[in-house]
Amino acid sequence: MAGKREEEQVKPIMLHSPSIVPVGDDEEAASRWRTIQYLHKRRCALCCCGCCGATVVILGITILILSLTVFKVKDPTLTMNSLTLDTFRVETGTLDNLVLFNATLVADISIKNPNVASFRFDNSTTDFYYAGETVGVAYAPQGKVLARRTARMNVTVDVLTDRVVKQMNITTEAWIAGTELNLTSFTDIKGRVNVLGVYKRDIEVMLNCSMTLELSTTFHGFKNTDCSANVS
């Protein structure tokens, strides 16, 4: 019994040793986690930059296409639709048996606007000439033509008959037989087209016309009216 007790006393006490974790593993794991987060953020940033760049490119291409097609400022069209005599009176003068007359012309003019924005124009004038001298002037107020619409306006011209008579020397015999006056007119309209406040253009539309006014005891009116327009 004594020997057995001695062996039990001599036997070393077995203690459980704690698990040993290397000190550097936590830092390495944290470093890997930071690297993963950095790569994820970088990937998101690259995706955002790519999307923004693609959006800018697409937007630029769209604006370019629209500026060359839909939003492109086009030239308005100015047309002389008709020219009529509103009033016409004739009387025989006493000096050299000349014929005197008073006439009022009415010019029907239209402006066609092919743009997607309205065309605003300033006050305009229409001048009539005979033998290189001004025989009448008509004034039209400012206004606007809506997008892709056509506006018409009538301008009234009082002919300065004293200047015509001085140039023609129309006698009673010539009046009875019939005579013709070759007139020309010039219309100048200045305006602007403004598309969304981005595409702006100042436009000047000029219309030159030549016409023949036939005068006789049985007929008086215009014929052979020919016009050409120019835009700048």
Side-chain angles (χ1 to χ4, degrees), residues 166-220:
K166 186 186 300 182
Q167 292 286 341
M168 285 290 296
N169 291 324
I170 304 175
T171 62
T172 304
E173 291 77 10
W175 167 252
I176 296 174
T179 186
E180 294 182 346
L181 302 179
N182 295 317
L183 303 176
T184 58
S185 68
F186 175 72
T187 304
D188 185 15
I189 297 179
K190 298 178 181 179
R192 164 176 282 199
V193 175
N194 187 343
V195 182
L196 301 177
V198 178
Y199 305 98
K200 302 178 183 179
R201 180 182 167 191
D202 293 326
I203 297 176
E204 182 177 7
V205 186
M206 294 163 286
L207 181 67
N208 291 282
C209 296
S210 61
M211 64 216 69
T212 301
L213 176 59
E214 185 177 347
L215 302 174
S216 68
T217 55
T218 58
F219 175 80
H220 46 269

Side-chain angles (χ1 to χ4, degrees), residues 77-201:
T77 303
L78 186 61
T79 305
M80 177 81 74
N81 299 309
S82 63
L83 189 61
T84 57
L85 280 173
D86 188 35
T87 59
F88 186 78
R89 296 188 303 273
V90 179
E91 60 184 28
T92 302
T94 56
L95 182 62
D96 296 330
N97 202 28
L98 295 179
V99 172
L100 305 178
F101 64 91
N102 294 317
T104 300
L105 312 181
V106 177
D108 180 12
I109 300 174
S110 64
I111 307 174
K112 182 179 180 181
N113 178 24
N115 296 287
V116 295
S118 59
F119 171 61
R120 298 181 179 271
F121 56 90
D122 302 327
N123 299 332
S124 61
T125 59
T126 299
D127 299 279
F128 284 83
Y129 302 92
Y130 175 72
E133 186 174 2
T134 302
V135 295
V137 181
Y139 300 94
Q142 63 182 3
K144 71 175 181 178
V145 186
L146 298 178
R148 294 176 177 171
R149 298 294 179 86
T150 300
R152 300 182 68 167
M153 56 184 179
N154 291 332
V155 293
T156 302
V157 185
D158 291 324
V159 178
L160 305 178
T161 54
D162 56 338
R163 298 184 181 182
V164 178
V165 171
K166 186 186 300 182
Q167 292 286 341
M168 285 290 296
N169 291 324
I170 304 175
T171 62
T172 304
E173 291 77 10
W175 167 252
I176 296 174
T179 186
E180 294 182 346
L181 302 179
N182 295 317
L183 303 176
T184 58
S185 68
F186 175 72
T187 304
D188 185 15
I189 297 179
K190 298 178 181 179
R192 164 176 282 199
V193 175
N194 187 343
V195 182
L196 301 177
V198 178
Y199 305 98
K200 302 178 183 179
R201 180 182 167 191

Side-chain angles (χ1 to χ4, degrees), residues 35-51:
T35 302
I36 293 174
Q37 285 185 325
Y38 170 75
L39 292 176
H40 180 69
K41 291 181 179 179
R42 183 177 180 183
R43 185 180 301 170
C44 292
L46 290 175
C47 290
C48 291
C49 291
C51 292

